[in-house]
Amino acid sequence: MESHGDIRTSALKNPVDLAEYLFRRIHELGVRGVHGVPGDYNLVALDYIPKVGLNWVGNCNELNAGYAADGYARVKGVGAIVTTFGVGELSIVNAQAGAYSEFVPVIHIVGTPSTISQRDGMLLHHTLGNGDFNVFANMFSQISVAVARLNDPYEAAAQVDYVLQQCMIKGRPVYITLPTDMVQKKVEGERLKTPIDVRIPKNNPDVEDYVVGVILKYLHAAKNPTILVDACAIRHGVLDEVHELVEKTKLPTFVAPMGKGAVDETLPNYGGVGDASLQGIKEAVESSDLVLSIGAIKSDFNTSGFSYQISQLSTIDFHSTFIKVKYSEYPGIHMKGVLRKVVSCIDLGKINVQPTPPVSNTIPEAERTSRDQTITQAWLWPRLGQWLEADDVGEFPKNVIAISQVLWGSIGYTVGAAQGAALAAKELGNRRVILFIGDGSFQLTCQEVSTMIRHGLKPVIFVLCNDGYTIERLIHGMNASYNDIQPWHYKDLIPAFGGSPANSKTFQIRTRNELDNLLGDKEFSAAKYLQFVELYTPKRDAPAALKLVAERAAETNEKVE
């Protein structure tokens, strides 16, 4: 006699294993590389990854894997990672919190003990020993836009679809638990014939039209309007609308540090990064009588320590869940539809366009004429800017994707992120990927270079060797021992990680002439294999913008009531 469960399973039109269903849905969203670390609670689930056309990356640790999935998502649109219960998933908390704070869609799948073990409160390894199997999921619920505990095969497929939809629409991480006894449970495969609807819900047309009318009224009346673009314009998929607005209006356009790469920097009306250390930009933005602020994240580091003084009375804020026109807020209205309609309805004859401050990426005269061979920050970055090319993943000619973690600011983030970005770039056609990282940050997560070698990735890695944590020195403790690090022979890590002359090259650069020669080498610029540059700069030197941010951070830290 069939059990009740057998009857329910036999009623399925097209039964598929739950793990297969989950990974096929992830493949549908565009993911091809799944990051993570194996553990005994996720091993059977991992067998399904190659079966559905996905590739297992396999990272050195879960934290790095989380950073990598984040970097991958910023290039491909979404990332995925698999960890194991307790010890594995807790190692990724920092990375997932960073993705949550910076609006990066990452799908986190956790292999957990069986539903029976959880029901009985068994004393298992990787637990706290108290029978509580919900504690870690409860932690992640604070840094996830949706949580799915796949404990019931009759609800699991719908849960998967919902949580993945939320990940894509809201642009933030989600958390999925997959118990060992659920991996091979059957779910309805017929659902796979209907793609998950990840379109942004349309705005109420009446409200949208009203908001657009208000925006156009102020825009047409403004004497000196400007556009300021930030990270959430990237994260929430409105770059097409932003580009149309920028090109059609010819208004002076700036980007915040987190929005770097959102605007074509070859456009004549591009004014640069909204960095308060550059007085011309600061004055241009603050003197505007109307700032169209698109996707702003107004954190301390993203505003150079809150140094901007832009009145809300002069600002129209475009966001994914509301529009704010001066002090009037319109909730439930997504910026995509509003921007599209503003672009189509704008009267160019009523737009007052002021000159855009010129953007300079030249080496300062004093640095250019100096005979000193020291690689200073003031000389280095304009020189590297001249070397960068369109379509790079780094910075910042046309079509460059910029990846940084300005808001969350986790030290060591960029090594893992570069691995994920390089994998995504390889999937998209081998775009050049360039990593700039300080020696202190590199020491935290350097193992992921071995993952790059393992997968034949070809980033160009510049490790800036300046003897420690520069940003920390600038904030407090310039000569304090806690800001020092042990000097490494950095380039020697490449052969130690399995690199060979056939798949990698290393360089040590101490002078300007050496760097000029390297950047002028066509083979180096072609980036046909992993290249690692150990580049030495002075210990106390830093870019002007970094000095200002550190100064503001120190002032904020020292404030008392």
mmCIF file with all atom_site columns, all heavy atoms in Angstrom, residues 469-480:
data_model
loop_
_atom_site.group_PDB
_atom_site.id
_atom_site.type_symbol
_atom_site.label_atom_id
_atom_site.label_alt_id
_atom_site.label_comp_id
_atom_site.label_asym_id
_atom_site.label_entity_id
_atom_site.label_seq_id
_atom_site.pdbx_PDB_ins_code
_atom_site.Cartn_x
_atom_site.Cartn_y
_atom_site.Cartn_z
_atom_site.occupancy
_atom_site.B_iso_or_equiv
_atom_site.pdbx_formal_charge
_atom_site.auth_seq_id
_atom_site.auth_comp_id
_atom_site.auth_asym_id
_atom_site.auth_atom_id
_atom_site.pdbx_PDB_model_num
ATOM 1  N N   . TYR A 1 469 ? 49.123 49.150 6.862  1.00 0.00 ? 469 TYR A N   1
ATOM 2  C CA  . TYR A 1 469 ? 47.751 49.598 6.665  1.00 0.00 ? 469 TYR A CA  1
ATOM 3  C C   . TYR A 1 469 ? 47.712 51.124 6.542  1.00 0.00 ? 469 TYR A C   1
ATOM 4  O O   . TYR A 1 469 ? 47.568 51.845 7.530  1.00 0.00 ? 469 TYR A O   1
ATOM 5  C CB  . TYR A 1 469 ? 46.873 49.130 7.821  1.00 0.00 ? 469 TYR A CB  1
ATOM 6  C CG  . TYR A 1 469 ? 46.890 47.647 8.028  1.00 0.00 ? 469 TYR A CG  1
ATOM 7  C CD1 . TYR A 1 469 ? 47.311 47.087 9.231  1.00 0.00 ? 469 TYR A CD1 1
ATOM 8  C CD2 . TYR A 1 469 ? 46.497 46.778 7.005  1.00 0.00 ? 469 TYR A CD2 1
ATOM 9  C CE1 . TYR A 1 469 ? 47.318 45.706 9.413  1.00 0.00 ? 469 TYR A CE1 1
ATOM 10 C CE2 . TYR A 1 469 ? 46.508 45.403 7.180  1.00 0.00 ? 469 TYR A CE2 1
ATOM 11 C CZ  . TYR A 1 469 ? 46.922 44.881 8.388  1.00 0.00 ? 469 TYR A CZ  1
ATOM 12 O OH  . TYR A 1 469 ? 46.935 43.523 8.564  1.00 0.00 ? 469 TYR A OH  1
ATOM 13 N N   . THR A 1 470 ? 47.787 51.616 5.313  1.00 0.00 ? 470 THR A N   1
ATOM 14 C CA  . THR A 1 470 ? 47.908 53.054 5.073  1.00 0.00 ? 470 THR A CA  1
ATOM 15 C C   . THR A 1 470 ? 46.686 53.824 5.558  1.00 0.00 ? 470 THR A C   1
ATOM 16 O O   . THR A 1 470 ? 46.818 54.860 6.222  1.00 0.00 ? 470 THR A O   1
ATOM 17 C CB  . THR A 1 470 ? 48.132 53.331 3.586  1.00 0.00 ? 470 THR A CB  1
ATOM 18 O OG1 . THR A 1 470 ? 49.335 52.671 3.176  1.00 0.00 ? 470 THR A OG1 1
ATOM 19 C CG2 . THR A 1 470 ? 48.269 54.811 3.318  1.00 0.00 ? 470 THR A CG2 1
ATOM 20 N N   . ILE A 1 471 ? 45.488 53.351 5.241  1.00 0.00 ? 471 ILE A N   1
ATOM 21 C CA  . ILE A 1 471 ? 44.293 54.074 5.654  1.00 0.00 ? 471 ILE A CA  1
ATOM 22 C C   . ILE A 1 471 ? 44.214 54.162 7.172  1.00 0.00 ? 471 ILE A C   1
ATOM 23 O O   . ILE A 1 471 ? 43.839 55.199 7.739  1.00 0.00 ? 471 ILE A O   1
ATOM 24 C CB  . ILE A 1 471 ? 43.010 53.425 5.074  1.00 0.00 ? 471 ILE A CB  1
ATOM 25 C CG1 . ILE A 1 471 ? 41.759 54.187 5.514  1.00 0.00 ? 471 ILE A CG1 1
ATOM 26 C CG2 . ILE A 1 471 ? 42.902 51.961 5.484  1.00 0.00 ? 471 ILE A CG2 1
ATOM 27 C CD1 . ILE A 1 471 ? 41.679 55.605 5.014  1.00 0.00 ? 471 ILE A CD1 1
ATOM 28 N N   . GLU A 1 472 ? 44.614 53.096 7.857  1.00 0.00 ? 472 GLU A N   1
ATOM 29 C CA  . GLU A 1 472 ? 44.598 53.117 9.322  1.00 0.00 ? 472 GLU A CA  1
ATOM 30 C C   . GLU A 1 472 ? 45.643 54.102 9.846  1.00 0.00 ? 472 GLU A C   1
ATOM 31 O O   . GLU A 1 472 ? 45.397 54.836 10.814 1.00 0.00 ? 472 GLU A O   1
ATOM 32 C CB  . GLU A 1 472 ? 44.869 51.721 9.889  1.00 0.00 ? 472 GLU A CB  1
ATOM 33 C CG  . GLU A 1 472 ? 44.115 50.587 9.219  1.00 0.00 ? 472 GLU A CG  1
ATOM 34 C CD  . GLU A 1 472 ? 42.617 50.649 9.419  1.00 0.00 ? 472 GLU A CD  1
ATOM 35 O OE1 . GLU A 1 472 ? 42.133 51.612 10.031 1.00 0.00 ? 472 GLU A OE1 1
ATOM 36 O OE2 . GLU A 1 472 ? 41.932 49.729 8.957  1.00 0.00 ? 472 GLU A OE2 1
ATOM 37 N N   . ARG A 1 473 ? 46.817 54.129 9.217  1.00 0.00 ? 473 ARG A N   1
ATOM 38 C CA  . ARG A 1 473 ? 47.854 55.078 9.640  1.00 0.00 ? 473 ARG A CA  1
ATOM 39 C C   . ARG A 1 473 ? 47.344 56.514 9.521  1.00 0.00 ? 473 ARG A C   1
ATOM 40 O O   . ARG A 1 473 ? 47.605 57.355 10.390 1.00 0.00 ? 473 ARG A O   1
ATOM 41 C CB  . ARG A 1 473 ? 49.097 54.928 8.761  1.00 0.00 ? 473 ARG A CB  1
ATOM 42 C CG  . ARG A 1 473 ? 49.867 53.638 8.921  1.00 0.00 ? 473 ARG A CG  1
ATOM 43 C CD  . ARG A 1 473 ? 51.196 53.731 8.162  1.00 0.00 ? 473 ARG A CD  1
ATOM 44 N NE  . ARG A 1 473 ? 51.829 52.455 7.964  1.00 0.00 ? 473 ARG A NE  1
ATOM 45 C CZ  . ARG A 1 473 ? 52.508 51.780 8.886  1.00 0.00 ? 473 ARG A CZ  1
ATOM 46 N NH1 . ARG A 1 473 ? 52.619 52.283 10.104 1.00 0.00 ? 473 ARG A NH1 1
ATOM 47 N NH2 . ARG A 1 473 ? 53.062 50.618 8.603  1.00 0.00 ? 473 ARG A NH2 1
ATOM 48 N N   . LEU A 1 474 ? 46.641 56.785 8.439  1.00 0.00 ? 474 LEU A N   1
ATOM 49 C CA  . LEU A 1 474 ? 46.160 58.144 8.209  1.00 0.00 ? 474 LEU A CA  1
ATOM 50 C C   . LEU A 1 474 ? 45.078 58.535 9.205  1.00 0.00 ? 474 LEU A C   1
ATOM 51 O O   . LEU A 1 474 ? 44.959 59.707 9.578  1.00 0.00 ? 474 LEU A O   1
ATOM 52 C CB  . LEU A 1 474 ? 45.624 58.267 6.787  1.00 0.00 ? 474 LEU A CB  1
ATOM 53 C CG  . LEU A 1 474 ? 46.664 58.138 5.667  1.00 0.00 ? 474 LEU A CG  1
ATOM 54 C CD1 . LEU A 1 474 ? 45.975 58.069 4.319  1.00 0.00 ? 474 LEU A CD1 1
ATOM 55 C CD2 . LEU A 1 474 ? 47.638 59.311 5.702  1.00 0.00 ? 474 LEU A CD2 1
ATOM 56 N N   . ILE A 1 475 ? 44.273 57.565 9.628  1.00 0.00 ? 475 ILE A N   1
ATOM 57 C CA  . ILE A 1 475 ? 43.226 57.852 10.616 1.00 0.00 ? 475 ILE A CA  1
ATOM 58 C C   . ILE A 1 475 ? 43.833 58.039 12.001 1.00 0.00 ? 475 ILE A C   1
ATOM 59 O O   . ILE A 1 475 ? 43.528 58.994 12.718 1.00 0.00 ? 475 ILE A O   1
ATOM 60 C CB  . ILE A 1 475 ? 42.174 56.730 10.630 1.00 0.00 ? 475 ILE A CB  1
ATOM 61 C CG1 . ILE A 1 475 ? 41.417 56.697 9.297  1.00 0.00 ? 475 ILE A CG1 1
ATOM 62 C CG2 . ILE A 1 475 ? 41.195 56.912 11.791 1.00 0.00 ? 475 ILE A CG2 1
ATOM 63 C CD1 . ILE A 1 475 ? 40.468 55.529 9.159  1.00 0.00 ? 475 ILE A CD1 1
ATOM 64 N N   . HIS A 1 476 ? 44.711 57.115 12.375 1.00 0.00 ? 476 HIS A N   1
ATOM 65 C CA  . HIS A 1 476 ? 45.334 57.199 13.701 1.00 0.00 ? 476 HIS A CA  1
ATOM 66 C C   . HIS A 1 476 ? 46.514 56.229 13.772 1.00 0.00 ? 476 HIS A C   1
ATOM 67 O O   . HIS A 1 476 ? 46.412 55.083 13.345 1.00 0.00 ? 476 HIS A O   1
ATOM 68 C CB  . HIS A 1 476 ? 44.332 56.843 14.804 1.00 0.00 ? 476 HIS A CB  1
ATOM 69 C CG  . HIS A 1 476 ? 44.906 56.953 16.191 1.00 0.00 ? 476 HIS A CG  1
ATOM 70 N ND1 . HIS A 1 476 ? 45.034 58.156 16.839 1.00 0.00 ? 476 HIS A ND1 1
ATOM 71 C CD2 . HIS A 1 476 ? 45.405 56.014 17.035 1.00 0.00 ? 476 HIS A CD2 1
ATOM 72 C CE1 . HIS A 1 476 ? 45.579 57.947 18.036 1.00 0.00 ? 476 HIS A CE1 1
ATOM 73 N NE2 . HIS A 1 476 ? 45.800 56.652 18.173 1.00 0.00 ? 476 HIS A NE2 1
ATOM 74 N N   . GLY A 1 477 ? 47.611 56.693 14.303 1.00 0.00 ? 477 GLY A N   1
ATOM 75 C CA  . GLY A 1 477 ? 48.753 55.819 14.561 1.00 0.00 ? 477 GLY A CA  1
ATOM 76 C C   . GLY A 1 477 ? 49.694 55.671 13.377 1.00 0.00 ? 477 GLY A C   1
ATOM 77 O O   . GLY A 1 477 ? 49.992 54.548 12.961 1.00 0.00 ? 477 GLY A O   1
ATOM 78 N N   . MET A 1 478 ? 50.192 56.784 12.862 1.00 0.00 ? 478 MET A N   1
ATOM 79 C CA  . MET A 1 478 ? 51.072 56.731 11.696 1.00 0.00 ? 478 MET A CA  1
ATOM 80 C C   . MET A 1 478 ? 52.266 55.823 11.939 1.00 0.00 ? 478 MET A C   1
ATOM 81 O O   . MET A 1 478 ? 52.682 55.063 11.051 1.00 0.00 ? 478 MET A O   1
ATOM 82 C CB  . MET A 1 478 ? 51.549 58.145 11.335 1.00 0.00 ? 478 MET A CB  1
ATOM 83 C CG  . MET A 1 478 ? 52.547 58.194 10.179 1.00 0.00 ? 478 MET A CG  1
ATOM 84 S SD  . MET A 1 478 ? 51.910 57.498 8.623  1.00 0.00 ? 478 MET A SD  1
ATOM 85 C CE  . MET A 1 478 ? 50.745 58.767 8.152  1.00 0.00 ? 478 MET A CE  1
ATOM 86 N N   . ASN A 1 479 ? 52.812 55.848 13.131 1.00 0.00 ? 479 ASN A N   1
ATOM 87 C CA  . ASN A 1 479 ? 53.991 55.031 13.434 1.00 0.00 ? 479 ASN A CA  1
ATOM 88 C C   . ASN A 1 479 ? 53.700 53.907 14.416 1.00 0.00 ? 479 ASN A C   1
ATOM 89 O O   . ASN A 1 479 ? 54.626 53.265 14.918 1.00 0.00 ? 479 ASN A O   1
ATOM 90 C CB  . ASN A 1 479 ? 55.107 55.930 13.984 1.00 0.00 ? 479 ASN A CB  1
ATOM 91 C CG  . ASN A 1 479 ? 55.545 56.987 12.980 1.00 0.00 ? 479 ASN A CG  1
ATOM 92 O OD1 . ASN A 1 479 ? 55.860 56.671 11.839 1.00 0.00 ? 479 ASN A OD1 1
ATOM 93 N ND2 . ASN A 1 479 ? 55.552 58.251 13.403 1.00 0.00 ? 479 ASN A ND2 1
ATOM 94 N N   . ALA A 1 480 ? 52.428 53.663 14.682 1.00 0.00 ? 480 ALA A N   1
ATOM 95 C CA  . ALA A 1 480 ? 52.065 52.628 15.654 1.00 0.00 ? 480 ALA A CA  1
ATOM 96 C C   . ALA A 1 480 ? 52.359 51.235 15.104 1.00 0.00 ? 480 ALA A C   1
ATOM 97 O O   . ALA A 1 480 ? 52.127 50.954 13.924 1.00 0.00 ? 480 ALA A O   1
ATOM 98 C CB  . ALA A 1 480 ? 50.593 52.751 16.014 1.00 0.00 ? 480 ALA A CB  1
#
